[in-house]
Amino acid sequence: QKEVEQNSGPLSVPEGAIASLNCTYSDRGSQSFFWYRQYSGKSPELIMFIYSNGDKEDGRFTAQLNKASQYVSLLIRDSQPSDSATYLCAVGPRYGNNRLAFGKGNQVVVIP
Amino acid sequence: EADIYQTPRYLVIGTGKKITLECSQTMGHDKMYWYQQDPGMELHLIHYSYGVNSTEKGDLSSESTVSRIRTEHFPLTLESARPSHTSQYLCASRQGGSYEQYFGPGTRLTVT
């Protein structure tokens, strides 16, 4: 089992709709959770991070964390063509370890 | 916006050559990382550093070395380039006490 799973294929959403991305992780002791956006040919850009169960909102982005079910999700409201990118989920492991584990990413295509 | 730089941005080189990929950051971050990423795939950690004169191997480190003589500088060296090294190499940094990693623009390496 991979540490971080992002299994959905490319997600196509109409402009203005909500894009929903999910990520599951295997290490129950994980403490920190991140969403990165990566445009084609570019490096990842941090857009959201969350440490506690529940929701965290930042502009059009909402991260949701459920540690009991070991999943973290990202909602993009009012999707714009500029949101078309690959979204990487990253998970920080237990105390004393500095390494993040990354998922393969989910591609989002916003259709004008 | 993170101030982290990588040179060269693109490199095409022949098999057997020695390569050094440069990474510098001006934020004073103590922790730095090298990742390798193939298209559509996860980021794989190659090496990381907790501070000056402190380096650790990641998952794909057997064919490369790093050094951390200065806080701001974390070069990656491939002693003998092979076509299997063709990939994108991403440098990242973060400040101790924070889990948020910031990425440089990447070096796209092609070994012929």
Side-chain angles (χ1 to χ4, degrees):
Chain A
Q1 182 185 11
K2 291 191 173 182
E3 289 184 75
V4 180
E5 299 259 16
Q6 294 180 260
N7 288 328
S8 301
L11 177 66
S12 294
V13 296
E15 184 173 355
I18 295 176
S20 177
L21 304 172
N22 294 314
C23 168
T24 59
Y25 58 94
S26 60
D27 186 349
R28 186 169 288 279
S30 297
Q31 301 294 325
S32 54
F33 308 86
F34 305 87
W35 284 99
Y36 285 83
R37 178 176 62 200
Q38 187 173 26
Y39 292 115
S40 180
K42 303 294 186 182
S43 60
E45 172 193 9
L46 180 65
I47 56 170
M48 288 287 292
F49 59 89
I50 186 168
Y51 301 137
S52 304
N53 274 331
D55 295 358
K56 180 181 178 182
E57 187 174 313
D58 184 359
R60 296 185 295 107
F61 298 99
T62 299
Q64 299 174 320
L65 175 61
N66 184 321
K67 288 187 177 181
S69 299
Q70 294 178 237
Y71 80 80
V72 57
S73 62
L74 178 71
L75 300 177
I76 307 173
R77 293 183 303 280
D78 187 24
S79 296
Q80 301 297 309
S82 60
D83 295 327
S84 297
T86 296
Y87 291 80
L88 308 177
C89 174
V91 175
R94 296 176 186 272
Y95 299 119
N97 188 322
N98 293 277
R99 300 169 57 164
L100 292 183
F102 286 84
K104 289 176 59 174
N106 286 125
Q107 185 182 7
V108 172
V109 178
V110 180
I111 303 167
Chain B
E1 186 171 328
D3 295 324
I4 181 165
Y5 308 98
Q6 291 185 243
T7 57
R9 294 292 310 279
Y10 303 91
L11 178 63
V12 180
I13 201 162
T15 298
K17 300 291 186 182
K18 181 178 180 178
I19 305 166
T20 296
L21 307 183
E22 302 287 349
C23 177
S24 296
Q25 49 95 7
T26 59
M27 300 167 286
H29 288 175
D30 52 355
K31 296 175 175 54
M32 296 187 73
Y33 306 82
W34 275 104
Y35 293 91
Q36 183 177 342
Q37 186 184 32
D38 293 320
M41 301 301 290
E42 303 95 326
L43 278 73
H44 291 287
L45 184 65
I46 310 172
H47 293 277
Y48 56 107
S49 168
Y50 296 152
V52 171
N53 295 324
S54 167
T55 61
E56 300 285 344
K57 293 183 177 182
D59 304 323
L60 298 177
S61 60
S62 62
E63 300 174 355
S64 61
T65 59
V66 291
S67 63
R68 188 90 183 274
I69 299 173
R70 304 196 314 268
T71 298
E72 64 271 20
H73 193 215
F74 190 42
L76 173 75
T77 298
L78 295 174
E79 292 294 333
S80 180
R82 299 206 309 243
S84 60
H85 293 139
T86 295
S87 188
Q88 169 146 282
Y89 292 82
L90 294 164
C91 181
S93 72
R94 73 175 179 92
Q95 184 57 47
S98 167
Y99 277 105
E100 299 135 50
Q101 287 187 20
Y102 296 93
F103 285 85
T107 293
R108 188 165 296 281
L109 173 66
T110 301
V111 182
T112 60

Short mmCIF file of all heavy atoms in Angstrom, two decimals, chain A residues 1 18 43 59-60 67 84 94:
data_model
loop_
_atom_site.label_atom_id
_atom_site.label_comp_id
_atom_site.label_asym_id
_atom_site.label_seq_id
_atom_site.Cartn_x
_atom_site.Cartn_y
_atom_site.Cartn_z
N GLN A 1 0.86 -1.21 0.00
CA GLN A 1 0.00 0.00 0.00
C GLN A 1 0.88 1.25 0.00
O GLN A 1 1.81 1.36 0.79
CB GLN A 1 -0.91 0.00 1.23
CG GLN A 1 -1.87 1.19 1.27
CD GLN A 1 -2.66 1.23 2.55
OE1 GLN A 1 -2.37 0.50 3.49
NE2 GLN A 1 -3.67 2.07 2.59
N ILE A 18 -17.85 23.35 -8.67
CA ILE A 18 -16.95 22.94 -7.58
C ILE A 18 -16.16 21.71 -8.01
O ILE A 18 -16.72 20.72 -8.48
CB ILE A 18 -17.76 22.60 -6.31
CG1 ILE A 18 -18.48 23.86 -5.78
CG2 ILE A 18 -16.84 22.03 -5.22
CD1 ILE A 18 -19.39 23.58 -4.58
N SER A 43 7.04 23.76 -11.13
CA SER A 43 7.25 23.10 -9.84
C SER A 43 6.00 23.23 -8.98
O SER A 43 5.16 24.10 -9.23
CB SER A 43 8.46 23.72 -9.14
OG SER A 43 8.26 25.09 -8.92
N GLY A 59 -9.91 31.55 0.71
CA GLY A 59 -10.42 32.01 -0.57
C GLY A 59 -11.37 30.99 -1.17
O GLY A 59 -12.33 30.56 -0.52
N ARG A 60 -11.10 30.57 -2.40
CA ARG A 60 -11.97 29.59 -3.06
C ARG A 60 -11.60 28.14 -2.70
O ARG A 60 -12.27 27.22 -3.18
CB ARG A 60 -11.88 29.79 -4.58
CG ARG A 60 -12.42 31.14 -5.06
CD ARG A 60 -12.42 31.25 -6.58
NE ARG A 60 -11.10 31.21 -7.17
CZ ARG A 60 -10.60 30.17 -7.86
NH1 ARG A 60 -11.33 29.08 -8.04
NH2 ARG A 60 -9.38 30.22 -8.37
N LYS A 67 -9.08 12.51 10.28
CA LYS A 67 -7.99 11.62 10.70
C LYS A 67 -8.51 10.22 11.01
O LYS A 67 -7.81 9.23 10.78
CB LYS A 67 -7.27 12.20 11.91
CG LYS A 67 -6.40 13.42 11.59
CD LYS A 67 -5.59 13.84 12.80
CE LYS A 67 -4.68 15.01 12.48
NZ LYS A 67 -3.87 15.41 13.66
N SER A 84 -6.85 24.93 -13.77
CA SER A 84 -6.47 23.72 -14.50
C SER A 84 -5.01 23.40 -14.21
O SER A 84 -4.11 24.17 -14.58
CB SER A 84 -6.67 23.92 -16.01
OG SER A 84 -8.04 24.13 -16.31
N ARG A 94 5.08 11.02 11.37
CA ARG A 94 5.10 11.18 12.81
C ARG A 94 6.16 12.19 13.27
O ARG A 94 7.02 12.59 12.54
CB ARG A 94 5.38 9.83 13.47
CG ARG A 94 4.30 8.80 13.22
CD ARG A 94 4.67 7.45 13.82
NE ARG A 94 3.72 6.42 13.46
CZ ARG A 94 2.63 6.16 14.16
NH1 ARG A 94 2.36 6.85 15.26
NH2 ARG A 94 1.80 5.23 13.79
#
